[in-house]
Amino acid sequence: MYYCSQCGSKQLIKKVPEGDTRSRIVCEKCHSIHYQNPKIVTGCLPIWEDKVLLCKRAIEPRSGFWTLPAGYMEKDESVKEGAIRETWEEAGANVKQLQLYLIVSSSQKSVSMIFLGQLCDLKFAPGIESLDVQLFTKEEIPWEEISFRFVREALTYYFEDRVKNQFPVRVD
Ligand SMILES: [Zn+2]
């Protein structure tokens, strides 16, 4: 951030505001405090029988690697609605019976909330951000070509939990 989003001034400094305990970016002109908080990422692990649906990324970062449909939550939707929307946008698929499964908060920039979801049918197709969309059994998962750590985590937990048919919420 190079200028104040409130007043346009470039007089931004780092300091601990009065009554605060952390250093923040503060505008010296209008005194706005620019907090930097994680954004919410919402996504889905779509399931069909013994398979999961993955998308091959068409965009950076990690273009060409496999991921779950996920993205930033919009301000006019719930996390669950966001997960359904992302699954539609990136995988052309409809999901139902969403159930919160994994919360990843260890990244500094975002908190990811991943739902398990049942595919409504076998209709799916790559959206504009995907090169390909495919169903994979556990054995078919391209582990070497997984895009992000949270995707690897969700898949690892899922195939472990499926053996017991119990899917507790994981918080990392
Ligand atoms: Zn300002």
Side-chain angles (χ1 to χ4, degrees):
M1 185 165 41
Y2 299 103
Y3 58 91
C4 175
S5 55
Q6 287 297 314
C7 76
S9 164
K10 288 188 176 177
Q11 298 171 48
L12 297 174
I13 54 159
K14 268 199 154 185
K15 70 168 191 179
V16 180
E18 204 180 316
D20 204 336
T21 53
R22 289 174 181 243
S23 179
R24 311 284 183 190
I25 296 167
V26 180
C27 176
E28 285 196 298
K29 196 172 170 201
C30 76
H31 308 292
S32 293
I33 302 169
H34 297 280
Y35 295 97
Q36 294 181 297
N37 304 110
K39 288 190 168 190
I40 302 285
V41 170
T42 182
C44 185
L45 173 49
I47 296 158
W48 180 267
E49 295 172 352
D50 64 339
K51 301 184 180 79
V52 298
L53 193 72
L54 298 178
C55 303
K56 195 172 204 176
R57 290 174 62 82
I59 52 169
E60 295 296 343
R62 309 294 275 166
S63 180
F65 286 72
W66 293 91
T67 194
L68 300 176
Y72 290 114
M73 181 183 177
E74 299 288 356
K75 64 182 178 181
D76 58 355
E77 66 187 3
S78 69
V79 278
K80 202 184 266 191
E81 288 166 346
I84 292 169
R85 176 183 54 74
E86 289 288 344
T87 308
W88 173 250
E89 288 177 0
E90 295 182 8
N94 285 306
V95 280
K96 59 184 179 181
Q97 295 168 273
L98 271 75
Q99 153 187 2
L100 183 61
Y101 187 54
L102 175 63
I103 299 175
V104 182
S105 58
S106 46
S107 134
Q108 293 191 6
K109 289 187 176 168
S110 60
V111 175
S112 299
M113 307 184 69
I114 305 301
F115 293 82
L116 297 181
Q118 304 298 320
L119 281 173
C120 297
D121 50 44
L122 282 173
K123 287 181 201 151
F124 51 81
I128 197 159
E129 294 182 4
S130 308
L131 296 168
D132 195 5
V133 180
Q134 275 186 43
L135 284 168
F136 295 92
T137 63
K138 183 185 176 186
E139 291 69 32
E140 292 166 345
I141 299 276
W143 292 105
E144 302 304 314
E145 297 164 43
I146 297 297
S147 56
F148 302 113
R149 206 189 74 185
F150 81 89
V151 177
R152 184 177 297 275
E153 272 182 317
L155 292 170
T156 304
Y157 287 143
Y158 175 71
F159 288 115
E160 277 174 25
D161 290 347
R162 205 177 58 179
V163 178
K164 291 171 266 180
N165 199 29
Q166 285 177 350
F167 304 93
V169 177
R170 316 281 189 147
V171 182
D172 287 350

